[in-house]
Amino acid sequence: MTRIDLTGLDVRPAQVWGGVRLVPLVRDEPVPGLRLRREVYEGWGGASVELGDRTSYTSYVPHGFVADWTGAGAESAVYGSRLGGEAVPGCVPLRRIHRMAKRRRGKDGRAERRLRFLPLHLALEGYLALHFGGPSVVWDDWSREALRRGLSPRAEAAYAGWAVPGLAEALRIFELHPGQCGLLLYVADALAAAFVVPHPDDYRLLHPTLVEDLYGELVHQYAHYGAPVPEFTARIRDAAGGIRGLADLRAAAREQERSWATAHDGLMARDLLETPYSFERVHRMGGFGLYRFLPPFERGGREQHIGEVITDRKGRAAYLKTFRLSENQIRKGYLLNRLADCDWHLGRTAEALGTSYAELVRRVRGAGLGGLLDAHVVARRLREDREG
């Protein structure tokens, strides 16, 4: 599996609010044997997640999702569960959560066919963990701290949906379609996020969580400075007299919908659907698998996303959630991959990139990794290159 497969999902005409475009995704039939519900965490949403390797992930985590593959139908899904008590006045509570994804256990201690995971944070932690161990060889250019602790601590900025101008109102007035199981969200016609669930009932109840999701810096900037986008309009011309009744009009309208879907998939969502990703399986759930994925971090201006997906046996997406990376985050991933490919040797990495040692040092510092370098060794090397 190298690409996202949205087979079974059809695009419907977009709805627009200012600079926000919402594109519905509908299914003819729900995905059998899988349901999702929300688990709400009370308080301000701050959480520290224990990852099991003496490291932790800290972020704004307002809720988790529970995947249920018991096959018991709609009766098995209990929505809106709340965990936690009242916050202590004057304190900022920090919830501690064990693992990004954890199998539920019943009262008898046996594992149930339910999995609690933290939506989107599963993918973000995968990006933050990219070459987290840091330099694998004791080269002089790297500081002792970098060799001992790697990239720890590593942080990236993101914005909650309610901080993205226009998004909350767009989601509030959005009209749901019959059979809707997903949404592609655009800001200034740049794809900000994709969200897919297995069942229309799941989507109706999880749609409001989009305003609590995290969005990248690029999306936040586009929402602030982007102009309103044009609405979808269908133009049916009857120059040849082909429209003779309601049946002809209905057929022409459906043709317009098909044209919109073809244009959307081939242009607006092309980078999301055609990019080859590297997938890491997090958990097997009967006939389904939960994966998180990373893009190739290619340079060249194409949009790139990280995310998580639940697929069936044929690799088709039953659940999907994505996060649009900024150009700086893409450059950082690209640079970390190149360093790792060259065993973190700065000289060989500069040669592989076709640049100089000084330019590579500038890139490392520009990516926010300058603290990993041994300042004295790097300064001496730069001085020797200038004098030589």
Side-chain angles (χ1 to χ4, degrees):
M1 183 169 65
T2 60
R3 286 178 168 80
I4 296 170
D5 184 357
L6 296 184
T7 300
L9 287 158
D10 295 320
V11 172
R12 291 292 182 265
Q15 300 176 40
V16 169
W17 179 262
V20 178
R21 186 186 300 276
L22 307 172
V23 178
L25 299 173
V26 302
R27 298 185 193 273
D28 289 336
E29 296 291 338
V31 176
L34 181 68
R35 297 296 301 274
L36 286 179
R37 68 175 174 88
R38 184 187 185 196
E39 190 173 77
V40 182
Y41 303 142
E42 293 182 347
W44 74 284
S48 179
V49 185
E50 301 172 13
L51 302 178
D53 55 357
R54 294 189 298 175
T55 60
S56 61
Y57 168 95
T58 302
S59 183
Y60 168 72
V61 186
H63 55 258
F65 284 174
V66 177
D68 183 335
W69 63 100
T70 61
E75 294 80 8
S76 66
V78 181
Y79 296 94
S81 301
R82 289 189 171 272
L83 297 178
E86 295 295 326
V88 179
C91 298
V92 178
L94 186 68
R95 178 177 304 279
R96 295 197 176 277
I97 301 175
H98 187 243
R99 301 294 177 87
M100 286 286 177
K102 188 174 182 180
R103 188 82 171 260
R104 286 294 194 209
R105 293 192 175 274
K107 294 180 180 180
D108 59 359
R110 298 177 62 182
E112 297 180 344
R113 300 182 72 182
R114 294 180 175 88
L115 180 76
R116 187 272 299 148
F117 64 97
L118 302 182
L120 206 56
H121 299 282
L122 187 68
L124 288 167
E125 189 268 324
Y127 172 73
L128 291 172
L130 182 66
H131 305 300
F132 187 72
S136 54
V137 181
V138 186
W139 305 114
D140 291 339
D141 311 79
W142 302 102
S143 68
R144 301 304 97 181
E145 191 70 11
L147 295 169
R148 282 197 302 267
R149 299 182 58 187
L151 277 66
S152 178
R154 184 175 172 192
E156 296 290 341
Y159 296 85
W162 40 260
V164 177
L167 179 58
E169 185 68 8
L171 293 172
R172 186 184 67 81
I173 65 175
F174 181 68
E175 297 181 9
L176 301 186
H177 285 249
Q180 183 168 348
C181 290
L183 176 79
L184 293 173
L185 192 157
Y186 295 83
V187 177
D189 273 347
L191 181 58
F195 180 43
V196 171
V197 296
H199 196 286
D201 291 345
D202 298 345
Y203 186 82
R204 278 194 291 271
L205 288 158
L206 296 177
H207 173 81
T209 66
L210 287 165
V211 80
E212 296 180 333
D213 278 344
L214 298 179
Y215 298 89
E217 179 184 13
L218 186 70
V219 174
H220 187 259
Q221 290 176 352
Y222 282 6
H224 264 289
Y225 304 116
V229 295
E231 295 189 35
F232 166 79
T233 55
R235 294 181 175 86
I236 300 174
R237 295 180 174 85
D238 187 29
I243 306 297
R244 299 181 181 277
L246 289 177
D248 295 333
L249 185 61
R250 186 178 296 111
R254 287 176 177 168
E255 180 60 33
Q256 287 288 310
E257 286 189 351
R258 284 192 291 270
S259 297
W260 155 257
T262 300
H264 171 269
D265 293 348
L267 180 63
M268 298 183 71
R270 181 185 58 195
D271 288 348
L272 174 69
L273 300 177
E274 294 185 0
T275 296
Y277 299 95
S278 59
F279 289 83
E280 176 192 359
R281 191 174 70 193
V282 177
H283 204 280
R284 186 189 293 278
M285 307 182 302
F288 300 94
L290 172 62
Y291 298 83
R292 62 185 177 190
F293 56 87
L294 293 172
F297 297 107
E298 296 175 342
R299 304 298 300 276
R302 294 184 65 176
E303 66 183 52
Q304 297 189 48
H305 302 256
I306 60 174
E308 62 220 17
V309 62
I310 296 176
T311 64
D312 62 12
R313 287 189 174 91
K314 295 182 178 180
R316 298 171 298 190
Y319 159 80
L320 173 68
K321 190 175 278 288
T322 68
F323 178 92
R324 170 83 176 260
L325 295 175
S326 69
E327 288 299 318
N328 286 337
Q329 289 166 331
I330 295 171
R331 284 196 293 267
K332 186 180 294 185
Y334 174 80
L335 182 59
L336 287 172
N337 280 345
R338 300 290 79 75
L339 286 167
D341 289 344
C342 298
D343 291 328
W344 295 80
H345 188 282
L346 291 184
R348 288 203 296 267
T349 304
E351 184 178 350
L353 293 173
T355 188
S356 65
Y357 182 92
E359 174 61 19
L360 178 59
V361 168
R362 187 195 67 78
R363 290 189 188 183
V364 170
R365 288 171 174 165
L369 304 174
L372 300 176
L373 298 172
D374 186 310
H376 298 292
V377 173
V378 170
R380 184 175 68 248
R381 171 69 185 272
L382 293 174
R383 184 171 59 253
E384 290 172 355
D385 287 351
R386 286 195 300 269
E387 293 174 353

